[in-house]
Structure formats: structure tokens, C-alpha cells
Amino acid sequence: MGRYDFKPLRVHQQASQLLETPRLKARPPWYDVIGTVPPAQALVRPKPVQHHERPKQVKTKKPSKMFKPLPISYQEDKFRQQFFKDHPWELARPRVILENDGRDGQRVDWSRIRQPGRSLDGESVVQRQVWLLNNVEGMNSARAYDQARHEFYDLRHQEDVERRVAREEAEALGSYFGKSYLEIGMELEDEKYEDWKAWAIKETAALQRARSASQIGEENESVAIDPNDPETEAGIDEIGDSVPAQGQDAFGGSPVHP
């Protein structure tokens, strides 16, 4: 047998031959159908029609920033950046960010920088500056910043004076507050400095000893004995009497052979 099996194509022919013999007495139900619609002769599936005129595909550029969130900026962001750039130590002050119901900002009046129940900080300057820009005619950003900043300085100076007076009154009545954070920090810094000073002295002394030892070694290596030097001859004559003669036993050492 070859590669292909042609038996299905000869089913109708074989059925006709069997009907002529006694082996097949009745026609099968499919006999007339296959005779009317015979199986296909082509054993290979026909190639579909190729359409050469294809519509032009428009190249779409893949968006590279599809999932990147858009920048969100507010007017106060630039004011905060300017204030904390000029006053970086304000960031070291503790702040209370707890709110009662999330609407505390709607119950403040920034027509004045001092707000009841709210501590004075850099955000007060920012909100005061925004209020001046939106409610005062002819006000620009620089003037609003200067006005809010000077109001902030006056109130902060007033708080410092009140704190100093309260401390003096308490000390006059016998109170004791101990060392301040600045004094504690200075003491810790002094201790670290003294430790570093002792270590630096020790390292400097070791470095000087190593340098001196290296210099002495170089001097010793550079000194050579000259036999024609008068001092060398005088030294040889001085120790010549202690050297045993040839063939004499050397006491305390190895014998000298002739």
C-alpha cells in the first residue's frame, strides 16, 4: 500500500458488485446518496484565495505613561517649599496632625494668623499667605509672604518671652528644671571630642615612632665601613691585641685553623 488509502472512493463500486452477487440482498441506505454525491477526488485541501489588496495598518504608538499618575499640585505647595527652605529648623518642631472630624480646616478664620486651639507653625504662615492673596486687592505673593512671615515672627517672639518669664517665676518659687536639651547635647559632644582627642594623641605618637624608626634604619643602612679611614684603622689596632694569633686556641670561641 502507498501513502494514501483510496478504499473510501470505491465504496459505491464495491457495493454495486456485491449487489450482483447473493452476498448482498438489499441496497444499503446510503447507496443512492453516494451514487448521487460521490466523495471528492481531490485529496489535498484547496488553497484559499489570496487577497493582495490589504488595508494599510496604522501603527499606533504604545503609551509609555499609561499607568503613571498625573501630577497633582496645589497653590500651597509652592508656599510651603519657600517657607521651609527659609526656615529649615521649623521642621524639627513637633506637630499635632490629629483632627476631630476631618473638617477642622473649615472652621478656621485665616484673617488672623493666630487660631484658637491650633499651634503656631509653618502651616499657619502658608494659610495666612493664601488668604491674603485671595482677599486683599493688589496683593502679590512676595508681599503676602512678607506680611505673614512678620506676623509669625512677632507671635513666636511673644511665645518665647512668655516661656522665659514663666521659667523665671517658677525658679523663683523653688522649681528645678534640670538641664536643657541643648546643654545635654553639648555635654555629649564634649565627651565624644575628648575621646577623639585621646585617640588622636595615641595615633600621632605611634606614627612619629614609626617615622623615627624608619629614619634610623635608613641611616644605618647608608653607613659603610671604609678600611682606609683613619678612625677605622685606629679601631682595628685597638682590638688587635684581643684577637688570638694564628694556631692559638681561642678561649670562649671556636679554634682558628691555619
Short mmCIF file of all heavy atoms in Angstrom, two decimals, residues 5-6 20 25 29 31 36 50 52 58 64 69 73 80 91 126 143 146 164 185 199 211 217 221 249 252:
data_model
loop_
_atom_site.label_atom_id
_atom_site.label_comp_id
_atom_site.label_asym_id
_atom_site.label_seq_id
_atom_site.Cartn_x
_atom_site.Cartn_y
_atom_site.Cartn_z
N ASP A 5 -4.85 5.99 1.13
CA ASP A 5 -5.81 4.89 1.11
C ASP A 5 -7.02 5.33 0.28
O ASP A 5 -7.75 6.24 0.66
CB ASP A 5 -6.24 4.54 2.54
CG ASP A 5 -7.09 3.27 2.58
OD1 ASP A 5 -7.24 2.64 1.51
OD2 ASP A 5 -7.60 2.94 3.67
N PHE A 6 -7.23 4.66 -0.88
CA PHE A 6 -8.32 5.03 -1.80
C PHE A 6 -9.55 4.15 -1.63
O PHE A 6 -10.45 4.19 -2.48
CB PHE A 6 -7.82 4.95 -3.25
CG PHE A 6 -6.71 5.92 -3.56
CD1 PHE A 6 -5.39 5.52 -3.53
CD2 PHE A 6 -7.01 7.24 -3.87
CE1 PHE A 6 -4.37 6.40 -3.81
CE2 PHE A 6 -5.98 8.13 -4.16
CZ PHE A 6 -4.66 7.72 -4.14
N GLU A 20 -24.77 -7.56 -7.12
CA GLU A 20 -24.92 -8.51 -8.21
C GLU A 20 -24.71 -9.94 -7.74
O GLU A 20 -25.06 -10.88 -8.45
CB GLU A 20 -23.93 -8.18 -9.33
CG GLU A 20 -24.21 -6.83 -9.99
CD GLU A 20 -23.15 -6.47 -11.02
OE1 GLU A 20 -22.19 -7.27 -11.15
OE2 GLU A 20 -23.27 -5.41 -11.66
N LYS A 25 -28.17 -8.73 -0.42
CA LYS A 25 -29.51 -8.90 -0.96
C LYS A 25 -30.24 -7.57 -1.10
O LYS A 25 -31.06 -7.40 -2.02
CB LYS A 25 -30.32 -9.83 -0.09
CG LYS A 25 -29.71 -11.24 0.00
CD LYS A 25 -30.55 -12.13 0.90
CE LYS A 25 -29.96 -13.54 0.98
NZ LYS A 25 -30.74 -14.45 1.85
N PRO A 29 -28.80 1.95 2.99
CA PRO A 29 -29.48 3.25 2.94
C PRO A 29 -28.64 4.35 2.29
O PRO A 29 -29.20 5.29 1.73
CB PRO A 29 -29.75 3.56 4.42
CG PRO A 29 -29.74 2.22 5.10
CD PRO A 29 -28.76 1.40 4.35
N TYR A 31 -26.61 3.97 -0.26
CA TYR A 31 -26.18 3.59 -1.62
C TYR A 31 -26.57 4.66 -2.64
O TYR A 31 -25.74 5.12 -3.44
CB TYR A 31 -26.78 2.23 -1.99
CG TYR A 31 -26.36 1.73 -3.35
CD1 TYR A 31 -25.11 1.13 -3.53
CD2 TYR A 31 -27.20 1.86 -4.44
CE1 TYR A 31 -24.71 0.70 -4.78
CE2 TYR A 31 -26.81 1.43 -5.70
CZ TYR A 31 -25.56 0.84 -5.85
OH TYR A 31 -25.17 0.40 -7.12
N THR A 36 -25.28 9.58 -5.95
CA THR A 36 -25.63 10.92 -6.43
C THR A 36 -24.52 11.93 -6.09
O THR A 36 -24.15 12.77 -6.92
CB THR A 36 -26.95 11.37 -5.80
OG1 THR A 36 -27.96 10.39 -6.08
CG2 THR A 36 -27.38 12.71 -6.37
N GLN A 50 -6.12 34.28 -2.20
CA GLN A 50 -5.34 35.29 -1.52
C GLN A 50 -5.73 36.68 -2.00
O GLN A 50 -5.78 36.93 -3.21
CB GLN A 50 -3.83 35.07 -1.77
CG GLN A 50 -3.32 33.72 -1.28
CD GLN A 50 -3.36 33.61 0.22
OE1 GLN A 50 -3.24 34.59 0.93
NE2 GLN A 50 -3.54 32.37 0.71
N HIS A 52 -4.65 40.26 -2.30
CA HIS A 52 -3.40 41.02 -2.25
C HIS A 52 -3.61 42.46 -1.77
O HIS A 52 -2.70 43.06 -1.23
CB HIS A 52 -2.74 41.01 -3.63
CG HIS A 52 -2.39 39.63 -4.10
ND1 HIS A 52 -1.32 38.93 -3.61
CD2 HIS A 52 -3.00 38.82 -5.00
CE1 HIS A 52 -1.24 37.75 -4.19
NE2 HIS A 52 -2.26 37.65 -5.04
N VAL A 58 -2.46 51.18 10.44
CA VAL A 58 -1.91 52.37 11.07
C VAL A 58 -1.15 51.95 12.32
O VAL A 58 -1.70 51.28 13.22
CB VAL A 58 -3.02 53.37 11.42
CG1 VAL A 58 -2.43 54.62 12.07
CG2 VAL A 58 -3.81 53.73 10.18
N SER A 64 3.62 54.99 26.89
CA SER A 64 4.60 54.59 27.89
C SER A 64 4.23 55.05 29.30
O SER A 64 4.78 54.55 30.27
CB SER A 64 5.97 55.17 27.53
OG SER A 64 5.91 56.59 27.46
N PRO A 69 0.51 58.15 37.39
CA PRO A 69 -0.48 59.14 37.83
C PRO A 69 -0.08 60.56 37.40
O PRO A 69 1.09 60.89 37.29
CB PRO A 69 -0.47 59.00 39.36
CG PRO A 69 0.87 58.43 39.68
CD PRO A 69 1.23 57.55 38.53
N SER A 73 -0.84 69.20 41.96
CA SER A 73 -0.19 70.32 42.63
C SER A 73 -1.25 71.31 43.11
O SER A 73 -2.31 71.45 42.49
CB SER A 73 0.79 71.03 41.69
OG SER A 73 0.11 71.52 40.55
N ARG A 80 4.74 76.39 50.82
CA ARG A 80 5.40 75.55 51.83
C ARG A 80 6.88 75.36 51.50
O ARG A 80 7.74 75.41 52.38
CB ARG A 80 4.71 74.20 51.92
CG ARG A 80 3.31 74.23 52.49
CD ARG A 80 2.81 72.84 52.79
NE ARG A 80 1.41 72.86 53.19
CZ ARG A 80 0.40 72.62 52.36
NH1 ARG A 80 0.64 72.35 51.08
NH2 ARG A 80 -0.85 72.67 52.78
N LEU A 91 10.97 72.46 60.77
CA LEU A 91 10.60 71.06 60.56
C LEU A 91 10.94 70.20 61.77
O LEU A 91 10.42 69.10 61.92
CB LEU A 91 11.31 70.50 59.33
CG LEU A 91 10.90 71.13 57.98
CD1 LEU A 91 11.81 70.63 56.88
CD2 LEU A 91 9.45 70.80 57.67
N VAL A 126 1.59 79.63 55.73
CA VAL A 126 1.14 79.28 54.37
C VAL A 126 -0.32 79.63 54.19
O VAL A 126 -0.72 80.27 53.19
CB VAL A 126 1.40 77.78 54.12
CG1 VAL A 126 0.78 77.36 52.80
CG2 VAL A 126 2.89 77.49 54.11
N ARG A 143 4.63 90.12 48.76
CA ARG A 143 4.13 90.95 49.85
C ARG A 143 3.33 90.12 50.84
O ARG A 143 3.42 90.33 52.06
CB ARG A 143 3.28 92.08 49.29
CG ARG A 143 4.06 93.13 48.50
CD ARG A 143 3.12 94.14 47.89
NE ARG A 143 2.27 94.75 48.92
CZ ARG A 143 1.21 95.53 48.65
NH1 ARG A 143 0.88 95.77 47.38
NH2 ARG A 143 0.51 96.04 49.63
N ASP A 146 5.80 88.21 53.01
CA ASP A 146 6.47 89.05 53.99
C ASP A 146 5.55 89.41 55.15
O ASP A 146 5.95 89.38 56.32
CB ASP A 146 6.98 90.33 53.32
CG ASP A 146 8.14 90.07 52.39
OD1 ASP A 146 8.81 89.03 52.57
OD2 ASP A 146 8.38 90.89 51.48
N ARG A 164 9.98 82.23 78.82
CA ARG A 164 11.13 82.61 79.65
C ARG A 164 10.66 83.21 80.98
O ARG A 164 11.23 82.91 82.05
CB ARG A 164 11.99 83.62 78.89
CG ARG A 164 13.33 83.90 79.57
CD ARG A 164 14.14 84.90 78.78
NE ARG A 164 14.37 84.47 77.42
CZ ARG A 164 13.82 85.07 76.34
NH1 ARG A 164 13.02 86.12 76.50
NH2 ARG A 164 14.09 84.62 75.14
N GLY A 185 23.05 67.99 74.88
CA GLY A 185 23.73 67.74 73.60
C GLY A 185 25.17 68.23 73.61
O GLY A 185 26.06 67.55 73.07
N TRP A 199 42.38 59.49 71.37
CA TRP A 199 42.73 58.57 70.27
C TRP A 199 43.69 59.24 69.28
O TRP A 199 44.64 58.60 68.80
CB TRP A 199 41.45 58.15 69.55
CG TRP A 199 41.71 57.36 68.31
CD1 TRP A 199 41.93 56.02 68.22
CD2 TRP A 199 41.77 57.87 66.97
NE1 TRP A 199 42.13 55.65 66.92
CE2 TRP A 199 42.04 56.76 66.12
CE3 TRP A 199 41.63 59.14 66.42
CZ2 TRP A 199 42.17 56.92 64.75
CZ3 TRP A 199 41.76 59.28 65.04
CH2 TRP A 199 42.03 58.18 64.22
N ARG A 211 57.87 56.67 62.16
CA ARG A 211 58.67 57.50 61.27
C ARG A 211 60.12 57.60 61.75
O ARG A 211 61.08 57.53 60.96
CB ARG A 211 58.05 58.89 61.16
CG ARG A 211 58.72 59.77 60.11
CD ARG A 211 58.11 61.15 60.05
NE ARG A 211 56.72 61.09 59.62
CZ ARG A 211 55.70 61.37 60.41
NH1 ARG A 211 55.91 61.73 61.68
NH2 ARG A 211 54.46 61.32 59.96
N GLY A 217 66.75 53.39 60.64
CA GLY A 217 67.11 52.25 59.81
C GLY A 217 67.74 52.67 58.50
O GLY A 217 68.70 52.07 58.03
N GLU A 221 71.62 51.73 57.29
CA GLU A 221 71.89 51.07 56.02
C GLU A 221 72.81 51.90 55.14
O GLU A 221 73.59 51.38 54.34
CB GLU A 221 70.57 50.81 55.30
CG GLU A 221 69.69 49.77 56.00
CD GLU A 221 68.37 49.59 55.28
OE1 GLU A 221 68.16 50.31 54.29
OE2 GLU A 221 67.58 48.74 55.71
N ASP A 249 94.61 28.58 70.51
CA ASP A 249 93.24 28.30 70.88
C ASP A 249 92.53 29.60 71.28
O ASP A 249 93.07 30.42 72.00
CB ASP A 249 93.18 27.30 72.04
CG ASP A 249 93.73 25.95 71.61
OD1 ASP A 249 93.69 25.69 70.38
OD2 ASP A 249 94.16 25.19 72.49
N GLY A 252 86.73 30.50 74.72
CA GLY A 252 85.36 31.02 74.68
C GLY A 252 84.79 31.05 73.27
O GLY A 252 83.69 31.51 73.08
#
